[in-house]
Structure formats: structure tokens, C-alpha cells
């Protein structure tokens, strides 16, 4: 069986506070993208997870999902999973999380498991903070540590140019620096309203990410990427998640297409994708 694991992006990310267990209480707006990993999963004599582009750790999100499902549903089968990677590591686009979500859905179908959506989210939460959204994979307000999914009623689709440098951003370090500075607060309610109203001009003005200033301090190349994208005429540039992918938006897709050709000369990962819609 071959399944697609769609990347996500954030058009809003705010840190509301810190919970008693030490986890950050987040308020975010997430959307799926047309960029995806391709997951090939077949029955095997033993469980094995491999990637075609780089070595992955033994205790990876896909292996965790397989073992959790086998334990919870007394599955005796074993699975060989091959991940064909298109979503870069440490990009703020939930590459490992969406792979785990895709494997959950694949095994449900292969083993004919009837698992409610609420239970799928519960399983996903045990693997990682972004996995519940990747199970849902539609426009959503995502809160808590990522386990609270509130659908946003819109079918908005936006073209978006993704540019990622070679460096990644350490999420724990980014959160630590945020605590030191607390640089900005994000009006997530307002951002959601513009998405629901499909008010693109206002959305470009209000969408924001509280981790972006500290990420740019950690890796100044993000400022360089933003400048390069703006020099190409891109209307709005912002960072997804904890980085290091920068997203470029314009109401004129031809500007993004021209920018893609120009920026590919300088950066290894430059992709023109669509975000939003219904996967």
C-alpha cells in the first residue's frame, strides 16, 4: 500500500503559557499543503522502517505508531515501511508527524480496524504534538499541546512558495529563547476571521508567528531568505512552525513562479505548493 503524508504549515502561532507538566500551551492555525512524503507499507516478517534519503533514528515516529497500534489492538502482523522523503527535516512542516499519521491510516485499512476519529486523535497525541493535526489534515485551530483540534469552516486555497535553508531550528532552544524575550503576541482570533472570510489582503497583514523573531536571531540566514523573497516581489513572507521554512505569499501566482526560478539558483529547497483546501 502507498499513502501520502501531507506537510502542514502554520499561519498563526502563539504561546499562551506553560502548563503544570511543563508543556507549552499553544494557539495555532494550521493548514495542509500539497507537499507530501510517499509512504510505502507492506506486510513483512518483522517490523522495519527505512527512509530512501537519510538514516532515521530507531525510535522514530513511524515505529512508535506501529508499536502503539500493535499493543492497543493486539495486532500480530509486522510491517515494512519505506518513506520516500520530500518534506525536509527540521522545517516546521511536521515531516515526522505526518508520516506517523499516514501509517496510522494505512494500518487501519490493512487490518480493517474501526477506530473513531476521537480515538485516532488520542493515539496520535501519544506520538507527538503535531500528529493529531496531521490525522485531521484540514484547516484547523489547534490548541493545547496540539491535541485540541477545532475545524475552521473554509475551503480557502493559497499558493505558497516554500524556501528552507540547510540549517534547521531546534524547537526546544527556540522556546527557551522565547521565554527570555517574549517578543510578540499573535491575534489568532483575527487571523481565523480573515481565513473564514477569505480576506486575503487582510490575512497577509495579520498572520504571524511568535517564534519567528527568536528563530531569526538563532539563524540570521532566515532574514536573508526573507529579503531575497521580498526582492522577488513576494507580498508577505513568514516562518512556519518553529522553522526553518520561510513561506512566501502573493495574490499573483506568476510572481511566485518567477521567484521560484530565481531562488532555486541560491537555495536547495524551493517549492511552490498550495496550502489549505480539504485533503
Amino acid at each position: 500500500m502507498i499513502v501520502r503524508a501531507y506537510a502542514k504549515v502554520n499561519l498563526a502561532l502563539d504561546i499562551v503559557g506553560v502548563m503544570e507538566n511543563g508543556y507549552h500551551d499553544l494557539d495555532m492555525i494550521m493548514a495542509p499543503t500539497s507537499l507530501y512524503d510517499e509512504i510505502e507499507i507492506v506486510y513483512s516478517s518483522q517490523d522495519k522502517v527505512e527512509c530512501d534519503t537519510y538514516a532515521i533514528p530507531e525510535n522514530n515516529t513511524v515505529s512508535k505508531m506501529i508499536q502503539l497500534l500493535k499493543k492497543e489492538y493486539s495486532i500480530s502482523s509486522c510491517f515494512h515501511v519505506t518513506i520516500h522523503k520530500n518534506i525536509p527535516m527540521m522545517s516546521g512542516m511536521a515531516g515526522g508527524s505526518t508520516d506517523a499519521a499516514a501509517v496510522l491510516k494505512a494500518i487501519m485499512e490493512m487490518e480493517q480496524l474501526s477506530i473513531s476519529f476521537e480515538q485516532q486523535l488520542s493515539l496520535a497525541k501519544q506520538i507527538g504534538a503535531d500528529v493529531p493535526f496531521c490525522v485531521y489534515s484540514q484547516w484547523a485551530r489547534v490548541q493545547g499541546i496540539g491535541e485540541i483540534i477545532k475545524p475552521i469552516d473554509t475551503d480557502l486555497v493559497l499558493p505558497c512558495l516554500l524556501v528552507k535553508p540547510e540549517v534547521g531550528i531546534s524547537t526546544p532552544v527556540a522556546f527557551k529563547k522565547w521565554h527570555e524575550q517574549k517578543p510578540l503576541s499573535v491575534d489568532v482570533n483575527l487571523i481565523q476571521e480573515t481565513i473564514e472570510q477569505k480576506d486575503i489582503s487582510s490575512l497577509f497583514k495579520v498572520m504571524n508567528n511568535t517564534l519567528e523573531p527568536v528563530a531569526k536571531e538563532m539563524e540570521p540566514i532566515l532574514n536573508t531568505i526573507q529579503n531575497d523573497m521580498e526582492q522577488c516581489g513576494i507580498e508577505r513572507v513568514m516562518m512556519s512552525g518553529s522553522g526553518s521554512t520561510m513561506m512566501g505569499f502573493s495574490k499573483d501566482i506568476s510572481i511566485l513562479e518567477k521567484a521560484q526560478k530565481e531562488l532555486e539558483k541560491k537555495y536547495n529547497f524551493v517549492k511552490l505548493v498550495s496550502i489549505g483546501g480539504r485533503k
Side-chain angles (χ1 to χ4, degrees), residues 31-56:
T33 81
S34 57
L35 176 67
Y36 61 86
D37 290 341
E38 194 172 73
I39 311 293
E40 185 177 354
I41 179 169
V42 296
Y43 286 114
S44 180
S45 59
Q46 61 181 9
D47 293 318
K48 184 177 182 181
V49 178
E50 58 186 355
C51 179
D52 63 354
T53 52
Y54 54 83
I56 55 176

Side-chain angles (χ1 to χ4, degrees), residues 66-242:
I66 291 171
Q67 296 310 311
L68 178 61
L69 287 170
K70 291 180 75 166
K71 175 185 175 184
E72 292 292 324
Y73 296 95
S74 301
I75 298 171
S76 59
S77 306
C78 292
F79 305 93
H80 184 176
V81 177
T82 304
I83 304 170
H84 303 284
K85 262 289 174 192
N86 297 306
I87 307 168
M89 295 178 64
M90 297 183 74
S91 62
M93 295 191 289
S97 296
T98 194
D99 292 344
V103 166
L104 163 62
K105 294 177 181 180
I107 292 178
M108 282 175 58
E109 184 174 341
M110 293 171 72
E111 293 290 307
Q112 297 183 321
L113 299 175
S114 179
I115 306 176
S116 69
F117 179 66
E118 290 74 19
Q119 184 59 26
Q120 290 177 49
L121 294 183
S122 177
L123 292 165
K125 177 185 173 182
Q126 298 178 57
I127 305 301
D130 285 334
V131 186
F133 171 78
C134 294
V135 169
Y136 182 67
S137 198
Q138 295 185 31
W139 281 106
R141 182 85 169 254
V142 181
Q143 295 171 308
I145 61 170
E147 83 284 10
I148 303 171
I149 311 288
K150 298 178 180 178
I152 295 177
D153 185 18
T154 184
D155 59 358
L156 178 64
V157 178
L158 295 170
C160 177
L161 187 64
L162 305 173
V163 182
K164 182 191 177 296
E166 292 294 323
V167 297
I169 299 292
S170 166
T171 301
V173 175
F175 276 109
K176 182 176 181 294
K177 286 189 172 293
W178 180 88
H179 280 286
E180 294 170 357
Q181 300 180 15
K182 297 187 178 178
L184 62 90
S185 181
V186 178
D187 190 340
V188 184
N189 289 328
L190 180 58
I191 298 168
Q192 180 172 340
E193 287 175 13
T194 63
I195 292 169
E196 291 170 337
Q197 295 165 2
K198 299 185 183 179
D199 183 350
I200 306 304
S201 296
S202 295
L203 173 61
F204 288 174
K205 293 175 183 175
V206 300
M207 60 189 189
N208 220 328
N209 180 344
T210 192
L211 291 176
E212 186 171 327
V214 295
K216 286 177 174 176
E217 184 180 290
M218 292 165 63
E219 296 292 348
I221 192 173
L222 299 183
N223 290 300
T224 304
I225 292 174
Q226 178 167 348
N227 291 335
D228 288 344
M229 295 175 84
E230 290 173 347
Q231 286 294 314
C232 291
I234 292 175
E235 187 174 347
R236 177 72 167 96
V237 180
M238 71 174 284
M239 187 181 78
S240 178
S242 58

